Amino acid sequence: MAAVDIDVPVETDPQICNPADLERQAECFKEQGNAFYSNKDYSEAFNFYTKAIDACPKNASYYGNRAATLMMLCRFREALEDSQQAVRLDDCFMKGHLREGKCHLSLGNAMAASRCFQKVLELEPSNREAQQENKNATTLLEFERMADFGFEKRDFRKVVYCMDRALALATACHRFKILKAECLALLGRYPEAQSVASDILRMDSTNADALYVRGLCLYYEDCIDKAVQFFVQALRMAPDHEKARLACRNAKALKAKKEEGNQAFKINNYEAAYQLYTEALAIDPNNIKTNAKLYCNRATAGAKLKKLNQAIEDCTSAIKLDDTYIKAYLRRCMQVYYEKVYQTEKTSDHKHLLKNAQLELKKSKRKDYYKVLGVGKNATEDEIKKAYRKRALMHHPDRHSAATPEVQKEEEKKFKEVGEAFTVLSDPKKKIRYDSGHDLDNDGCFDGGDFDANNIFRAFFGGHGGGFTFDSSSGMFSPF
């Protein structure tokens, strides 16, 4: 962030005795604050400007300087309050109006920012900084308009594009970050969405919108129970949060109906199971992963009821929703092909096909380490390393130390899974065995009894706790 211009100290006239000691003391504090500000020690500058304000609370420039310091500390809401107080005390304080506008812009309030910049231009028509910032405010309003239109048309990629550009201007706007995260979730880009929401929760663990987005990601990843916990927490923070309320209702209804269907299937009541899965599919067409499983479950029930054509169609529907859903492919093979062919022609070829299908089904039930790292099955060694670096830093426990216990537990689990995935896929021998389907009975191809993800992290990044520390103020890891 560019340095913010501050007011130079004004020497007091020794002949003036009123205001006396307090005003002189306040000016002294201001000068000390200016010195710390010049040396980029903004925390100490803040302390001395605060002392100046305490000594002389009617001086606009003291609030203006403290606002400048708070902006450098990225504490824009507090900076906004100081800027507003400065212009209340002196409506002709040009720098106060300029700082107020910059704070509004950083927080995503383009219209308020534009009003402030217009005020600056009334006071100083040739002020180039105000002219440029006013253009930025107009640009931000246009990105907002485009994003609203895109969301209405369910063009979520367009919304993400607009929000990325809006956030370049409004770096501290949680509203834009949440909208971006929600659209990332609706696009199925769950790790990115969760990362944005987690960063907000790290700074504000009671943010209902961020809690809702975390729940939404879990909901669309078919982690219904965990999703409900986040929706309930969001509603605790904001009882009128309609999106969280609707998502919570859908999640509970979907879980209940699916479990009823599973229970009916277990007791061989296939007609009831088929009907219950059908009812579950009508609850939320947007939940792709859960609906893919429901189609697959209904195909299984349909096959038991000799509805083979419908079963094929349901497996195909599951694959259309989730083309990585191996179980749908295999079930179509095992429960349709097997029912139609193997039962009538028990040839060696058919037995071989069935054996392969059963092996693939077993493989589908283990952890998908390629998916955990977010790489394809043909990923190179370098691509696997880059993916591990990105995901390990994203889910490292230190990054989420200020989050809720639920978030911490979830991120710790993901951090361990990322370590497991890297351990297998970065070792050529283990990768070959994993790809060929061996060791499927050992807890999903990985014996994690004594596994420590932190050891993998340290080994990868090189000694001393990984060679990185987490800076909670910036939300970034930095080298020692």
Side-chain angles (χ1 to χ4, degrees):
M1 180 175 178
V4 181
D5 189 25
I6 63 171
D7 301 308
V8 296
V10 179
E11 293 185 7
T12 56
D13 188 337
Q15 300 301 316
I16 299 176
C17 58
N18 187 23
D21 294 343
L22 278 178
E23 290 186 350
R24 285 195 294 273
Q25 187 181 44
E27 196 65 20
C28 180
F29 286 142
K30 176 185 173 181
E31 290 179 17
Q32 289 176 280
N34 288 349
F36 281 114
Y37 187 99
S38 297
N39 291 325
K40 298 184 180 181
D41 189 344
Y42 302 118
S43 294
E44 278 302 307
F46 171 83
N47 290 335
F48 278 98
Y49 290 142
T50 299
K51 289 178 181 179
I53 289 170
D54 290 342
C56 190
K58 299 297 183 181
N59 189 307
S61 70
Y62 298 166
Y63 288 98
N65 282 9
R66 191 169 71 173
T69 303
L70 287 166
M71 290 167 72
M72 298 307 294
L73 292 169
C74 296
R75 291 160 60 179
F76 292 101
R77 293 194 183 280
E78 295 167 79
L80 177 62
E81 292 175 8
D82 273 357
S83 299
Q84 290 172 330
Q85 178 62 15
V87 297
R88 276 195 291 268
L89 291 168
D90 181 0
D91 189 50
C92 294
F93 185 25
M94 185 270 294
K95 288 183 180 178
H97 289 293
L98 187 62
R99 287 169 190 154
E100 181 186 356
K102 286 183 176 181
C103 290
H104 279 306
L105 192 64
S106 294
L107 293 167
N109 192 342
M111 293 185 70
S114 185
R115 287 194 294 270
C116 294
F117 299 136
Q118 289 290 348
K119 179 67 176 179
V120 173
L121 292 171
E122 288 175 16
L123 296 169
E124 189 180 308
S126 61
N127 189 301
R128 291 186 178 182
E129 187 175 9
Q131 290 171 353
Q132 182 56 52
E133 293 291 358
N134 202 33
K135 288 179 182 178
N136 290 341
T138 302
T139 301
L140 185 60
L141 280 171
E142 180 61 16
F143 281 131
E144 280 193 80
R145 186 194 66 77
M146 291 167 61
D148 289 342
F149 183 77
F151 195 89
E152 185 181 333
K153 297 295 182 182
R154 298 186 67 80
D155 187 352
F156 302 125
R157 285 184 177 82
K158 184 63 172 287
V159 179
V160 171
Y161 172 87
C162 291
M163 288 300 96
D164 278 337
R165 274 131 195 91
L167 284 164
L169 299 169
T171 55
C173 182
H174 284 183
R175 179 166 53 89
F176 292 167
K177 291 177 182 179
I178 288 295
L179 180 56
K180 175 185 174 180
E182 183 178 1
C183 289
L184 287 170
L186 292 167
L187 288 168
R189 293 161 62 178
Y190 306 120
E192 295 171 76
Q194 289 191 35
S195 179
V196 174
S198 295
D199 284 345
I200 293 173
L201 289 170
R202 181 174 46 78
M203 294 181 282
D204 177 11
S205 62
T206 64
N207 189 297
D209 291 324
L211 290 167
Y212 160 71
V213 170
R214 281 303 307 267
L216 194 66
C217 291
L218 292 165
Y219 173 61
Y220 284 141
E221 288 183 294
D222 197 38
C223 300
I224 305 294
D225 288 334
K226 291 178 182 176
V228 168
Q229 291 176 11
F230 277 97
F231 294 145
V232 169
Q233 197 173 348
L235 288 167
R236 256 192 231 114
M237 299 300 114
D240 296 328
H241 201 296
E242 284 304 316
K243 287 184 177 180
R245 187 181 306 282
L246 176 61
C248 191
R249 184 166 65 242
N250 283 346
K252 289 179 177 179
L254 204 53
K255 178 176 182 283
K257 196 66 70 174
K258 182 182 175 184
E259 287 181 348
E260 285 181 58
N262 292 347
Q263 191 58 41
F265 187 90
K266 285 178 183 177
I267 61 174
N268 303 326
N269 190 347
Y270 304 124
E271 283 284 1
Y274 191 92
Q275 181 58 34
L276 287 163
Y277 292 140
T278 300
E279 292 173 10
L281 281 164
I283 292 172
D284 185 1
N286 294 318
N287 194 322
I288 291 172
K289 285 203 171 183
T290 302
N291 287 344
K293 291 181 179 180
L294 288 168
Y295 273 119
C296 207
N297 287 0
R298 193 172 73 173
T300 308
K304 294 290 186 181
L305 295 168
K306 307 303 180 186
K307 298 179 179 180
L308 299 183
N309 289 332
Q310 292 95 319
I312 293 173
E313 289 177 7
D314 278 349
C315 284
T316 302
S317 295
I319 292 164
K320 283 181 179 178
L321 288 176
D322 183 0
D323 61 5
T324 67
Y325 189 21
I326 297 173
K327 194 177 291 185
Y329 292 100
L330 299 174
R331 218 158 244 179
R332 183 164 60 181
C333 172
M334 292 183 66
Q335 294 176 343
V336 178
Y337 178 83
Y338 174 78
E339 291 278 351
K340 286 180 126 179
V341 180
Y342 180 70
Q343 292 289 346
T344 56
E345 297 182 51
K346 298 183 180 180
T347 66
S348 60
D349 284 345
H350 294 143
K351 289 179 181 179
H352 180 68
L353 286 171
L354 181 61
K355 184 177 179 180
N356 285 342
Q358 288 170 331
L359 177 61
E360 291 298 322
L361 182 60
K362 277 188 175 182
K363 285 167 67 176
S364 74
K365 292 180 178 178
R366 67 187 176 174
K367 291 177 184 176
D368 185 343
Y369 288 140
Y370 292 101
K371 188 175 180 181
V372 169
L373 289 183
V375 297
K377 289 183 169 57
N378 296 320
T380 64
E381 184 179 347
D382 283 344
E383 288 171 338
I384 289 170
K385 286 181 178 179
K386 286 179 182 177
Y388 170 73
R389 178 188 178 88
K390 179 181 177 181
R391 297 296 172 95
L393 291 173
M394 181 187 296
H395 299 298
H396 194 283
D398 287 353
R399 185 185 181 92
H400 307 279
S401 59
T404 62
E406 293 85 356
V407 171
Q408 289 182 16
K409 187 175 180 181
E410 180 66 20
E411 293 298 330
E412 187 176 352
K413 178 185 175 185
K414 289 183 178 179
F415 179 66
K416 183 176 180 182
E417 287 179 347
V418 167
E420 289 179 10
F422 180 69
T423 299
V424 172
L425 299 184
S426 64
D427 184 313
K429 290 183 180 179
K430 289 181 181 178
K431 184 175 184 296
I432 289 171
R433 291 181 67 80
Y434 176 80
D435 290 342
S436 62
H438 288 291
D439 299 331
L440 294 177
D441 294 325
N442 292 335
D443 191 22
C445 188
F446 190 87
D447 182 9
D450 297 320
F451 177 78
D452 186 346
N454 286 301
N455 288 340
I456 303 299
F457 188 86
R458 282 191 287 270
F460 184 87
F461 288 102
H464 302 297
F468 286 81
T469 56
F470 185 72
D471 183 352
S472 60
S473 63
S474 66
M476 301 290 289
F477 282 89
S478 57
F480 284 122

PDB file of all heavy atoms in Angstrom, residues 83-106:
ATOM      1  N   SER A  83     -11.342   9.583  10.373  1.00  0.00           N
ATOM      2  CA  SER A  83     -11.465  10.533   9.258  1.00  0.00           C
ATOM      3  C   SER A  83     -12.770  11.325   9.370  1.00  0.00           C
ATOM      4  O   SER A  83     -12.796  12.542   9.140  1.00  0.00           O
ATOM      5  CB  SER A  83     -11.423   9.786   7.927  1.00  0.00           C
ATOM      6  OG  SER A  83     -10.202   9.107   7.758  1.00  0.00           O
ATOM      7  N   GLN A  84     -13.829  10.627   9.703  1.00  0.00           N
ATOM      8  CA  GLN A  84     -15.130  11.296   9.830  1.00  0.00           C
ATOM      9  C   GLN A  84     -15.127  12.284  10.986  1.00  0.00           C
ATOM     10  O   GLN A  84     -15.709  13.374  10.893  1.00  0.00           O
ATOM     11  CB  GLN A  84     -16.236  10.245   9.999  1.00  0.00           C
ATOM     12  CG  GLN A  84     -16.487   9.443   8.732  1.00  0.00           C
ATOM     13  CD  GLN A  84     -17.446   8.281   8.934  1.00  0.00           C
ATOM     14  OE1 GLN A  84     -17.517   7.701  10.019  1.00  0.00           O
ATOM     15  NE2 GLN A  84     -18.199   7.934   7.899  1.00  0.00           N
ATOM     16  N   GLN A  85     -14.481  11.920  12.073  1.00  0.00           N
ATOM     17  CA  GLN A  85     -14.379  12.847  13.200  1.00  0.00           C
ATOM     18  C   GLN A  85     -13.553  14.073  12.811  1.00  0.00           C
ATOM     19  O   GLN A  85     -13.877  15.206  13.193  1.00  0.00           O
ATOM     20  CB  GLN A  85     -13.747  12.141  14.406  1.00  0.00           C
ATOM     21  CG  GLN A  85     -13.554  13.023  15.635  1.00  0.00           C
ATOM     22  CD  GLN A  85     -14.872  13.566  16.190  1.00  0.00           C
ATOM     23  OE1 GLN A  85     -15.954  13.081  15.854  1.00  0.00           O
ATOM     24  NE2 GLN A  85     -14.785  14.587  17.035  1.00  0.00           N
ATOM     25  N   ALA A  86     -12.505  13.861  12.014  1.00  0.00           N
ATOM     26  CA  ALA A  86     -11.654  14.971  11.591  1.00  0.00           C
ATOM     27  C   ALA A  86     -12.443  15.989  10.769  1.00  0.00           C
ATOM     28  O   ALA A  86     -12.328  17.206  10.994  1.00  0.00           O
ATOM     29  CB  ALA A  86     -10.474  14.443  10.776  1.00  0.00           C
ATOM     30  N   VAL A  87     -13.276  15.511   9.829  1.00  0.00           N
ATOM     31  CA  VAL A  87     -14.025  16.461   8.985  1.00  0.00           C
ATOM     32  C   VAL A  87     -15.227  17.044   9.724  1.00  0.00           C
ATOM     33  O   VAL A  87     -15.725  18.111   9.350  1.00  0.00           O
ATOM     34  CB  VAL A  87     -14.460  15.807   7.654  1.00  0.00           C
ATOM     35  CG1 VAL A  87     -13.239  15.410   6.833  1.00  0.00           C
ATOM     36  CG2 VAL A  87     -15.374  14.612   7.875  1.00  0.00           C
ATOM     37  N   ARG A  88     -15.681  16.353  10.772  1.00  0.00           N
ATOM     38  CA  ARG A  88     -16.729  16.963  11.613  1.00  0.00           C
ATOM     39  C   ARG A  88     -16.163  18.179  12.344  1.00  0.00           C
ATOM     40  O   ARG A  88     -16.829  19.188  12.522  1.00  0.00           O
ATOM     41  CB  ARG A  88     -17.285  15.938  12.614  1.00  0.00           C
ATOM     42  CG  ARG A  88     -18.378  15.046  12.049  1.00  0.00           C
ATOM     43  CD  ARG A  88     -19.129  14.323  13.158  1.00  0.00           C
ATOM     44  NE  ARG A  88     -18.309  13.320  13.805  1.00  0.00           N
ATOM     45  CZ  ARG A  88     -18.255  12.033  13.438  1.00  0.00           C
ATOM     46  NH1 ARG A  88     -18.994  11.615  12.408  1.00  0.00           N
ATOM     47  NH2 ARG A  88     -17.494  11.180  14.078  1.00  0.00           N
ATOM     48  N   LEU A  89     -14.916  18.039  12.770  1.00  0.00           N
ATOM     49  CA  LEU A  89     -14.264  19.143  13.471  1.00  0.00           C
ATOM     50  C   LEU A  89     -13.857  20.264  12.513  1.00  0.00           C
ATOM     51  O   LEU A  89     -13.824  21.438  12.892  1.00  0.00           O
ATOM     52  CB  LEU A  89     -13.026  18.627  14.217  1.00  0.00           C
ATOM     53  CG  LEU A  89     -13.298  17.706  15.414  1.00  0.00           C
ATOM     54  CD1 LEU A  89     -12.017  17.042  15.887  1.00  0.00           C
ATOM     55  CD2 LEU A  89     -13.942  18.490  16.562  1.00  0.00           C
ATOM     56  N   ASP A  90     -13.542  19.908  11.270  1.00  0.00           N
ATOM     57  CA  ASP A  90     -13.103  20.905  10.285  1.00  0.00           C
ATOM     58  C   ASP A  90     -13.563  20.459   8.901  1.00  0.00           C
ATOM     59  O   ASP A  90     -12.916  19.629   8.266  1.00  0.00           O
ATOM     60  CB  ASP A  90     -11.576  21.049  10.331  1.00  0.00           C
ATOM     61  CG  ASP A  90     -11.067  22.096   9.346  1.00  0.00           C
ATOM     62  OD1 ASP A  90     -11.891  22.709   8.633  1.00  0.00           O
ATOM     63  OD2 ASP A  90      -9.833  22.289   9.279  1.00  0.00           O
ATOM     64  N   ASP A  91     -14.681  21.007   8.448  1.00  0.00           N
ATOM     65  CA  ASP A  91     -15.271  20.581   7.175  1.00  0.00           C
ATOM     66  C   ASP A  91     -14.400  20.966   5.984  1.00  0.00           C
ATOM     67  O   ASP A  91     -14.596  20.444   4.879  1.00  0.00           O
ATOM     68  CB  ASP A  91     -16.667  21.195   7.018  1.00  0.00           C
ATOM     69  CG  ASP A  91     -17.406  20.613   5.820  1.00  0.00           C
ATOM     70  OD1 ASP A  91     -17.465  19.369   5.711  1.00  0.00           O
ATOM     71  OD2 ASP A  91     -17.897  21.399   4.987  1.00  0.00           O
ATOM     72  N   CYS A  92     -13.445  21.846   6.169  1.00  0.00           N
ATOM     73  CA  CYS A  92     -12.549  22.239   5.072  1.00  0.00           C
ATOM     74  C   CYS A  92     -11.222  21.467   5.101  1.00  0.00           C
ATOM     75  O   CYS A  92     -10.276  21.816   4.369  1.00  0.00           O
ATOM     76  CB  CYS A  92     -12.264  23.740   5.138  1.00  0.00           C
ATOM     77  SG  CYS A  92     -13.742  24.748   4.818  1.00  0.00           S
ATOM     78  N   PHE A  93     -11.157  20.454   5.951  1.00  0.00           N
ATOM     79  CA  PHE A  93      -9.943  19.646   6.087  1.00  0.00           C
ATOM     80  C   PHE A  93      -9.865  18.692   4.895  1.00  0.00           C
ATOM     81  O   PHE A  93     -10.417  17.598   4.915  1.00  0.00           O
ATOM     82  CB  PHE A  93      -9.976  18.902   7.422  1.00  0.00           C
ATOM     83  CG  PHE A  93      -8.727  18.124   7.736  1.00  0.00           C
ATOM     84  CD1 PHE A  93      -7.496  18.465   7.201  1.00  0.00           C
ATOM     85  CD2 PHE A  93      -8.793  17.045   8.596  1.00  0.00           C
ATOM     86  CE1 PHE A  93      -6.351  17.752   7.508  1.00  0.00           C
ATOM     87  CE2 PHE A  93      -7.658  16.319   8.926  1.00  0.00           C
ATOM     88  CZ  PHE A  93      -6.433  16.677   8.370  1.00  0.00           C
ATOM     89  N   MET A  94      -9.173  19.112   3.846  1.00  0.00           N
ATOM     90  CA  MET A  94      -9.153  18.369   2.589  1.00  0.00           C
ATOM     91  C   MET A  94      -8.623  16.948   2.761  1.00  0.00           C
ATOM     92  O   MET A  94      -9.199  15.983   2.245  1.00  0.00           O
ATOM     93  CB  MET A  94      -8.304  19.141   1.567  1.00  0.00           C
ATOM     94  CG  MET A  94      -8.290  18.531   0.169  1.00  0.00           C
ATOM     95  SD  MET A  94      -6.951  17.334  -0.033  1.00  0.00           S
ATOM     96  CE  MET A  94      -5.535  18.392   0.100  1.00  0.00           C
ATOM     97  N   LYS A  95      -7.524  16.796   3.501  1.00  0.00           N
ATOM     98  CA  LYS A  95      -6.938  15.463   3.686  1.00  0.00           C
ATOM     99  C   LYS A  95      -7.884  14.537   4.449  1.00  0.00           C
ATOM    100  O   LYS A  95      -7.903  13.328   4.231  1.00  0.00           O
ATOM    101  CB  LYS A  95      -5.602  15.574   4.418  1.00  0.00           C
ATOM    102  CG  LYS A  95      -4.485  16.156   3.566  1.00  0.00           C
ATOM    103  CD  LYS A  95      -3.178  16.173   4.342  1.00  0.00           C
ATOM    104  CE  LYS A  95      -2.054  16.766   3.496  1.00  0.00           C
ATOM    105  NZ  LYS A  95      -0.777  16.828   4.244  1.00  0.00           N
ATOM    106  N   GLY A  96      -8.673  15.119   5.351  1.00  0.00           N
ATOM    107  CA  GLY A  96      -9.653  14.315   6.077  1.00  0.00           C
ATOM    108  C   GLY A  96     -10.687  13.731   5.138  1.00  0.00           C
ATOM    109  O   GLY A  96     -11.030  12.541   5.223  1.00  0.00           O
ATOM    110  N   HIS A  97     -11.211  14.554   4.220  1.00  0.00           N
ATOM    111  CA  HIS A  97     -12.194  14.053   3.244  1.00  0.00           C
ATOM    112  C   HIS A  97     -11.562  13.011   2.315  1.00  0.00           C
ATOM    113  O   HIS A  97     -12.200  12.007   1.971  1.00  0.00           O
ATOM    114  CB  HIS A  97     -12.737  15.223   2.420  1.00  0.00           C
ATOM    115  CG  HIS A  97     -13.644  16.134   3.182  1.00  0.00           C
ATOM    116  ND1 HIS A  97     -14.889  15.737   3.647  1.00  0.00           N
ATOM    117  CD2 HIS A  97     -13.485  17.440   3.571  1.00  0.00           C
ATOM    118  CE1 HIS A  97     -15.471  16.744   4.274  1.00  0.00           C
ATOM    119  NE2 HIS A  97     -14.645  17.796   4.252  1.00  0.00           N
ATOM    120  N   LEU A  98     -10.317  13.247   1.920  1.00  0.00           N
ATOM    121  CA  LEU A  98      -9.637  12.301   1.034  1.00  0.00           C
ATOM    122  C   LEU A  98      -9.450  10.947   1.715  1.00  0.00           C
ATOM    123  O   LEU A  98      -9.697   9.896   1.114  1.00  0.00           O
ATOM    124  CB  LEU A  98      -8.285  12.876   0.614  1.00  0.00           C
ATOM    125  CG  LEU A  98      -7.501  12.085  -0.442  1.00  0.00           C
ATOM    126  CD1 LEU A  98      -8.285  12.004  -1.750  1.00  0.00           C
ATOM    127  CD2 LEU A  98      -6.134  12.711  -0.672  1.00  0.00           C
ATOM    128  N   ARG A  99      -9.037  10.990   2.991  1.00  0.00           N
ATOM    129  CA  ARG A  99      -8.840   9.730   3.727  1.00  0.00           C
ATOM    130  C   ARG A  99     -10.170   9.027   3.971  1.00  0.00           C
ATOM    131  O   ARG A  99     -10.246   7.799   3.900  1.00  0.00           O
ATOM    132  CB  ARG A  99      -8.125  10.017   5.045  1.00  0.00           C
ATOM    133  CG  ARG A  99      -6.660  10.358   4.845  1.00  0.00           C
ATOM    134  CD  ARG A  99      -6.028  10.907   6.100  1.00  0.00           C
ATOM    135  NE  ARG A  99      -4.703  11.441   5.797  1.00  0.00           N
ATOM    136  CZ  ARG A  99      -4.111  12.396   6.488  1.00  0.00           C
ATOM    137  NH1 ARG A  99      -4.729  12.943   7.523  1.00  0.00           N
ATOM    138  NH2 ARG A  99      -2.905  12.822   6.156  1.00  0.00           N
ATOM    139  N   GLU A 100     -11.196   9.794   4.272  1.00  0.00           N
ATOM    140  CA  GLU A 100     -12.515   9.174   4.454  1.00  0.00           C
ATOM    141  C   GLU A 100     -12.933   8.451   3.170  1.00  0.00           C
ATOM    142  O   GLU A 100     -13.428   7.316   3.211  1.00  0.00           O
ATOM    143  CB  GLU A 100     -13.560  10.234   4.827  1.00  0.00           C
ATOM    144  CG  GLU A 100     -14.944   9.622   5.056  1.00  0.00           C
ATOM    145  CD  GLU A 100     -16.031  10.646   5.288  1.00  0.00           C
ATOM    146  OE1 GLU A 100     -15.720  11.862   5.351  1.00  0.00           O
ATOM    147  OE2 GLU A 100     -17.203  10.229   5.398  1.00  0.00           O
ATOM    148  N   GLY A 101     -12.722   9.106   2.020  1.00  0.00           N
ATOM    149  CA  GLY A 101     -13.071   8.481   0.740  1.00  0.00           C
ATOM    150  C   GLY A 101     -12.279   7.218   0.488  1.00  0.00           C
ATOM    151  O   GLY A 101     -12.829   6.199   0.032  1.00  0.00           O
ATOM    152  N   LYS A 102     -10.985   7.236   0.792  1.00  0.00           N
ATOM    153  CA  LYS A 102     -10.148   6.052   0.595  1.00  0.00           C
ATOM    154  C   LYS A 102     -10.602   4.895   1.485  1.00  0.00           C
ATOM    155  O   LYS A 102     -10.577   3.726   1.078  1.00  0.00           O
ATOM    156  CB  LYS A 102      -8.687   6.386   0.883  1.00  0.00           C
ATOM    157  CG  LYS A 102      -8.023   7.228  -0.196  1.00  0.00           C
ATOM    158  CD  LYS A 102      -6.555   7.441   0.129  1.00  0.00           C
ATOM    159  CE  LYS A 102      -5.840   8.191  -0.981  1.00  0.00           C
ATOM    160  NZ  LYS A 102      -4.399   8.373  -0.680  1.00  0.00           N
ATOM    161  N   CYS A 103     -11.000   5.226   2.721  1.00  0.00           N
ATOM    162  CA  CYS A 103     -11.496   4.174   3.626  1.00  0.00           C
ATOM    163  C   CYS A 103     -12.790   3.577   3.092  1.00  0.00           C
ATOM    164  O   CYS A 103     -12.965   2.353   3.074  1.00  0.00           O
ATOM    165  CB  CYS A 103     -11.707   4.742   5.029  1.00  0.00           C
ATOM    166  SG  CYS A 103     -10.194   5.142   5.902  1.00  0.00           S
ATOM    167  N   HIS A 104     -13.718   4.433   2.672  1.00  0.00           N
ATOM    168  CA  HIS A 104     -14.965   3.936   2.092  1.00  0.00           C
ATOM    169  C   HIS A 104     -14.673   3.034   0.891  1.00  0.00           C
ATOM    170  O   HIS A 104     -15.290   1.976   0.734  1.00  0.00           O
ATOM    171  CB  HIS A 104     -15.848   5.108   1.645  1.00  0.00           C
ATOM    172  CG  HIS A 104     -16.636   5.756   2.741  1.00  0.00           C
ATOM    173  ND1 HIS A 104     -17.468   5.029   3.585  1.00  0.00           N
ATOM    174  CD2 HIS A 104     -16.737   7.061   3.125  1.00  0.00           C
ATOM    175  CE1 HIS A 104     -18.046   5.857   4.432  1.00  0.00           C
ATOM    176  NE2 HIS A 104     -17.622   7.091   4.193  1.00  0.00           N
ATOM    177  N   LEU A 105     -13.734   3.447   0.051  1.00  0.00           N
ATOM    178  CA  LEU A 105     -13.401   2.670  -1.143  1.00  0.00           C
ATOM    179  C   LEU A 105     -12.809   1.317  -0.760  1.00  0.00           C
ATOM    180  O   LEU A 105     -13.201   0.274  -1.310  1.00  0.00           O
ATOM    181  CB  LEU A 105     -12.408   3.450  -2.010  1.00  0.00           C
ATOM    182  CG  LEU A 105     -12.183   2.912  -3.434  1.00  0.00           C
ATOM    183  CD1 LEU A 105     -13.465   2.991  -4.251  1.00  0.00           C
ATOM    184  CD2 LEU A 105     -11.071   3.695  -4.131  1.00  0.00           C
ATOM    185  N   SER A 106     -11.890   1.297   0.186  1.00  0.00           N
ATOM    186  CA  SER A 106     -11.272   0.043   0.630  1.00  0.00           C
ATOM    187  C   SER A 106     -12.293  -0.902   1.239  1.00  0.00           C
ATOM    188  O   SER A 106     -12.161  -2.124   1.137  1.00  0.00           O
ATOM    189  CB  SER A 106     -10.167   0.329   1.651  1.00  0.00           C
ATOM    190  OG  SER A 106      -9.098   1.018   1.052  1.00  0.00           O
TER     191      SER A 106
END
